[in-house]
Amino acid sequence: MLFSWRGGPGARLRLLSLLFLAAWEAGSGQVRYLVPEEAPHGTFVGRIAQDLGLELAELVPRLFRMASKGGGDLLEVNLQNGILFVNSRIDREELCGRSLECSIHLEVIVERPLQVFHVEVEVKDINDNPPVFPESEKRIIIAESRPPETRFPLDGASDADIGVNSALTYQVYPNDYFTLDPQNSREQTSSLSLVLRKSLDREEIQEHNLLLTASDGGKPELTGTVQLLITILDVNDNAPEFDQLIYKVRMLESAFNGTLVIKLNATDPDDGTNADIIYSFRRPVSPAVLYAFSINSDSGEIRTKGKLDFEERKLYEISVEAIDKGNIPMAGHCTILVEIVDVNDNAPEITITSLALPIQENAQVGTVIALISVSDRDSGANGQVTCSLTPHVPFKLVSTFKNYYSLVLDGTLDRESVASYELVVSARDGGSPSLWATARVSVEVGDVNDNAPVFAQPEYTVFVKENNAPGCHIFTVSARDADAQENARVAYSLVERRVGERALSSYVSVHAESGQVFALQPLDREELELLQFRVSARDAGAPPLGSNVTLQVFVLDENDNAPALLPPPPPSQRVARWVGAGQVVAKVRAVDADSGYNAWLSYELQEEEAAAPGGARSAFRVGLYTGEISTTRALDEADAARQRLLVLVKDHGEPALTATATVLLWLEEAAALVDVHVYLVVAICAVSSLLVLTLLVYTALRCSAPRGEGACVPGPARLVCSSAVGSWASSPRRRRQRVCSGEGPPKADLMAFSPSLPPCLNSAEGTGEIEAGSEQLKEVRLHLKLCFIFFHRSWKRYFI
């Protein structure tokens, strides 16, 4: 950057002192520096990071940035050392004009956490602008008859600097006839008066050439000049005169076009045309005056013709001259100072800078969402602005600096309740009537994973027929997640467990996306009546959330098992010929592994066996639902000694399944059974005594067995139920099942059979085998089993 300076070594030394001395002060959260204008690039301003209490290492991670309101890129910060320096040429006059105070307002923003600092850099004026006259040459006509001390107004010079640098002094030379009377020290004008010191003699000097020099108060001082060409005329010797040299007028900026500002009245003691006055703006006329005002050349009325704006210009200086119509025109001069009075004609302006949108629903109270600045071009109470926010919950405005606010979170957020907020920021000034402005802020609430998937109910019951096709769809679970996007994407899975000796996943599977549940293999009700498992629903959030639902799958029975005969009957049964009608001589027992109607069995004799030889009525019949074979009449000698009966056992399924049992009956005379009767009675008594003794020994051993040992031995148990409407039986394959015959107390003909041992004293539902506690207990059980079988067969032979 090229920088030039006019002045001596002392001035350069003072400049260097200004360049390297920056003052700062902290008050109300503000840092203040001082920098001279026209400072070269790189000039040190201040250690801004240190003064703001920020560590150098955190400037970049915390996204240190600086914004200037109207200052452009005049200043910059070195993020390596935290020094604020001059980045480009600073021209105070271009930046602030004639304002006495000139500052660059900086807004420093750092994040994590968000902080806002306000820095003010005052620009110090240097004497870099020389005084400038509006014209380089000024022509003045003066009548020779003008007496000494006559004053001739001149346009003073203007200096763009301020303070002492704009304090002007004037000199004119040669100055034998004229002297200067500056008026810039009174009434806020920059006008000069050229004062005639002694009488003029046109015949001696017809024209005077003077050089007017203006010098400012800077160090070193700068100067400006204008050539004064004074022509001496021998004409009208009385100029028009105003009653005041300076007029002051106050005008509202809201004044309409054509409003009268002032009516001037100049007088001329001459007569005739020499006393006729023409009013006009004294040249040169500023464009601002020409735009805003007009003057009537005859009446001297000055009226408004353009819009007055206090915010653009607060004071107008109007120079007016009154010229008579003499042969040698003479002029009188005055100055009108028009002060513009502010009215409340500017509404506040709102600027919103969004910093953190959308805001997460778990954001902490006090989180800064946006920065808001307000301004009003009016002054005084008309420019004082207050801000408000609607609705107030859950946000609020916090004042951080003059006319600066932060929009912060003032309560908790829940995106599932309210996904977005439409906020209205209102700014109202203090005028009467007041003006206001509004700005809308849309605050989107960002989702976090704070809701687990939820099923409609905690448990579902599903009914599936056995022998289903592999891979068939049996049910669909569905869970809803109140979150959004990935946080609401639900994936389903099985909660794995063991079902017997197999894994749950070998029976069923669930589709991860649709929640459809499939049976992977055919289900068998005889093996598995109820399959209970849980399905998990988990979302894709971080961390993921989930919930479970229980499915109870009941396997419905199908008629896929034929009746099974049990226990196998003896090859033949002996029946006495003296048995009367209705006597039960044998019984066919059968079970069906199915359930319900599919296990409801009925018995009937085959047609070819139901009729006796010779067409006589058969001597036997079978109970439809009991399977008991009984006589239909008294047996006689005509009945064959060997009776072969074929019994058909049929269930009630669709279609029905059957089994066939063959029963051989031998008819014997009563005399042949007499000896056997005595033998059987003796045997039954002996076996009964042995059975009672065995039971006593078993009970004693059972009671003395250690706690926790069971009295049951492995082996499936069969339960046969019968009622007035029929009988059915159930035989488990892998686990014990219970089949109930209906409501009410059990019938008297309920019988239980076991191919191994009688029922347990303390059995429980479900599968499982309990081992014996000792070898002695096993022997007792074996003896008990043998005695029971022997007693049972002896009883059958004797009574049947």
Side-chain angles (χ1 to χ4, degrees), residues 581-660:
Q583 180 67 44
V584 177
V585 297
K587 187 170 185 177
V588 177
R589 298 175 180 85
V591 294
D592 195 313
D594 295 322
S595 64
Y597 277 89
N598 295 330
W600 185 16
L601 304 182
S602 62
Y603 303 85
E604 62 182 45
L605 290 177
Q606 293 289 69
E607 293 183 0
E608 60 270 24
E609 301 297 334
R617 185 165 65 96
S618 174
F620 301 96
R621 63 178 177 85
V622 64
L624 179 60
Y625 299 115
T626 62
E628 294 177 343
I629 300 175
S630 60
T631 56
T632 60
R633 56 181 173 80
L635 301 180
D636 54 26
E637 296 295 336
D639 294 319
R642 181 177 179 273
Q643 297 285 333
R644 182 176 182 273
L645 303 178
L646 191 63
V647 179
L648 179 66
V649 184
K650 180 172 63 175
D651 60 27
H652 285 71
E654 290 293 339
L657 301 179
T658 61
T660 304

Side-chain angles (χ1 to χ4, degrees), residues 297-316:
S297 60
D298 296 327
S299 65
E301 292 181 348
I302 298 178
R303 294 180 180 272
T304 61
K305 72 171 185 178
K307 178 176 175 56
L308 303 179
D309 192 346
F310 172 86
E311 289 70 39
E312 292 184 1
R313 195 178 183 99
K314 300 176 177 60
L315 179 70
Y316 291 90

Side-chain angles (χ1 to χ4, degrees), residues 224-509:
T225 61
V226 61
Q227 191 74 32
L228 302 179
L229 301 177
I230 302 175
T231 301
I232 307 299
L233 296 179
D234 189 13
V235 288
N236 186 19
D237 60 350
N238 288 291
E241 291 185 0
F242 294 93
D243 55 356
Q244 292 180 222
L245 292 177
I246 297 176
Y247 296 89
K248 294 182 180 180
V249 180
R250 289 168 59 90
M251 293 288 297
L252 293 176
E253 64 172 327
S254 59
F256 295 104
N257 289 345
T259 300
L260 178 64
V261 178
I262 190 172
K263 180 176 173 39
L264 298 174
N265 184 23
T267 60
D268 194 319
D270 294 327
D271 294 328
T273 59
N274 290 333
D276 294 337
I277 298 174
I278 297 175
Y279 298 92
S280 64
F281 293 132
R282 184 167 58 86
R283 301 179 62 186
V285 185
S286 68
V289 172
L290 286 176
Y291 171 79
F293 303 98
S294 64
I295 186 170
N296 188 307
S297 60
D298 296 327
S299 65
E301 292 181 348
I302 298 178
R303 294 180 180 272
T304 61
K305 72 171 185 178
K307 178 176 175 56
L308 303 179
D309 192 346
F310 172 86
E311 289 70 39
E312 292 184 1
R313 195 178 183 99
K314 300 176 177 60
L315 179 70
Y316 291 90
E317 181 178 336
I318 305 174
S319 296
V320 177
E321 64 181 1
I323 303 175
D324 61 25
K325 295 181 179 180
N327 291 329
I328 301 176
M330 299 188 71
H333 304 85
C334 72
T335 300
I336 299 97
L337 299 179
V338 181
E339 180 184 355
I340 308 301
V341 179
D342 182 43
V343 296
N344 192 25
D345 60 343
N346 290 279
E349 297 178 357
I350 303 174
T351 303
I352 298 177
T353 304
S354 297
L355 296 180
L357 292 176
I359 181 171
Q360 298 298 313
E361 60 178 322
N362 62 347
Q364 299 295 320
V365 173
T367 300
V368 177
I369 301 170
L371 298 179
I372 301 173
S373 62
V374 295
S375 61
D376 195 313
R377 297 180 62 194
D378 295 322
S379 63
N382 297 332
Q384 294 178 357
V385 182
T386 57
C387 269
S388 60
L389 177 70
T390 54
H392 297 286
V393 179
F395 305 96
K396 68 178 180 179
L397 288 178
V398 176
S399 178
T400 58
F401 193 64
K402 179 181 180 181
N403 291 340
Y404 286 87
Y405 297 86
S406 294
L407 177 62
V408 300
L409 183 63
D410 193 35
T412 58
L413 298 175
D414 185 3
R415 190 204 65 84
E416 289 71 37
S417 299
V418 181
S420 64
Y421 293 86
E422 291 294 330
L423 306 180
V424 177
V425 179
S426 301
R428 184 179 295 270
D429 61 28
S432 178
S434 63
L435 301 178
W436 70 90
T438 60
R440 293 186 175 274
V441 182
S442 296
V443 180
E444 297 291 333
V445 181
D447 183 53
V448 297
N449 192 27
D450 57 349
N451 290 278
V454 177
F455 291 94
Q457 57 190 70
E459 183 176 284
Y460 293 93
T461 300
V462 183
F463 296 93
V464 180
K465 286 188 177 182
E466 66 174 329
N467 301 321
N468 57 282
C472 71
H473 171 239
I474 61 174
F475 193 68
T476 299
V477 294
S478 178
R480 179 183 176 276
D481 196 310
D483 294 319
Q485 298 177 350
E486 289 298 310
N487 296 330
R489 185 163 57 85
V490 179
Y492 302 93
S493 61
L494 288 176
V495 179
E496 187 61 75
R497 70 178 185 88
R498 305 292 296 179
V499 180
E501 298 180 354
R502 299 171 60 180
L504 173 64
S505 56
S506 65
Y507 287 96
V508 291
S509 68

